[in-house]
Amino acid sequence: MEEYIEIRIKKRILIVIILFLMFVIGATGWYFWSSYHPYINIQVSEGTAGDNLKVAAPYIAYSEKNGVPMAASINLKISDLTMQHEFMCKSIRENYICSDIKLKINKKKDKTILKYYGTATSLDGKVEDFNKQITVNYILNADIKYQ
């Protein structure tokens, strides 16, 4: 009879330990998933790169999901995307005196493509078709809206 009670108590302890471990593993997985999937909204609207230089710009807003802070790698990707746009604006400022450039953001496979297109007036006064793109090797899970 005592063996039966000991075995029954051991089974209960084992079940409690298994349930506790399942809870810890589930909560950890949920935490990591939430940190790598924050709410990200990208709104592309008119911007400027200087006097007479109209360039559409991505405005990126992000927030935590489920109260879990965003993973550092996602923050770096957002910063990199912003820096890539700033690099394009700097290039436009240095090479053109007037522009009307739009931006289209495409997500394909494991890449994000920033496609800039429109017209620009070069430093020597020629109006040129502007068609350049920047490709980065990651995708942000973001809602993209155009104005």
Side-chain angles (χ1 to χ4, degrees):
M1 183 78 157
E2 288 179 22
E3 287 179 20
Y4 174 74
I5 293 173
E6 279 184 37
I7 291 173
R8 192 167 184 181
I9 291 173
K10 287 180 183 178
K11 280 184 181 178
R12 284 186 182 166
I13 291 173
L14 183 62
I15 289 171
V16 168
I17 290 172
I18 290 172
L19 288 174
F20 177 74
L21 287 175
M22 287 176 57
F23 173 76
V24 168
I25 291 169
T28 303
W30 171 81
Y31 183 87
F32 280 110
W33 183 86
S34 293
S35 70
Y36 282 93
H37 294 86
Y39 296 114
I40 302 173
N41 291 310
I42 300 175
Q43 183 171 339
V44 178
S45 59
E46 285 192 22
T48 182
D51 294 335
N52 298 321
L53 295 170
K54 289 198 282 186
V55 179
Y59 297 99
I60 303 172
Y62 54 90
S63 64
E64 302 173 341
K65 183 176 272 188
N66 302 322
V68 177
M70 181 172 39
S73 65
I74 303 298
N75 200 3
L76 286 173
K77 289 176 184 178
I78 291 171
S79 297
D80 179 59
L81 200 65
T82 303
M83 286 189 294
Q84 294 295 331
H85 173 72
E86 291 298 324
F87 169 75
M88 183 61 73
C89 287
K90 181 178 184 252
S91 174
I92 292 168
R93 270 193 308 271
E94 292 174 352
N95 297 308
Y96 300 98
I97 55 174
C98 183
S99 68
D100 185 16
I101 299 171
K102 307 292 183 218
L103 170 62
K104 178 82 173 157
I105 300 175
N106 296 320
K107 298 186 272 187
K108 292 186 180 177
K109 285 197 174 186
D110 295 334
K111 298 181 186 304
T112 301
I113 301 168
L114 302 173
K115 182 175 176 148
Y116 295 87
Y117 61 94
T119 59
T121 306
S122 64
L123 295 175
D124 59 356
K126 291 182 183 176
V127 176
E128 303 174 356
D129 284 335
F130 189 89
N131 192 7
K132 295 186 180 179
Q133 68 181 29
I134 298 173
T135 304
V136 292
N137 293 320
Y138 54 81
I139 288 184
L140 287 176
N141 295 320
D143 294 328
I144 302 172
K145 296 178 182 160
Y146 298 92
Q147 272 191 341

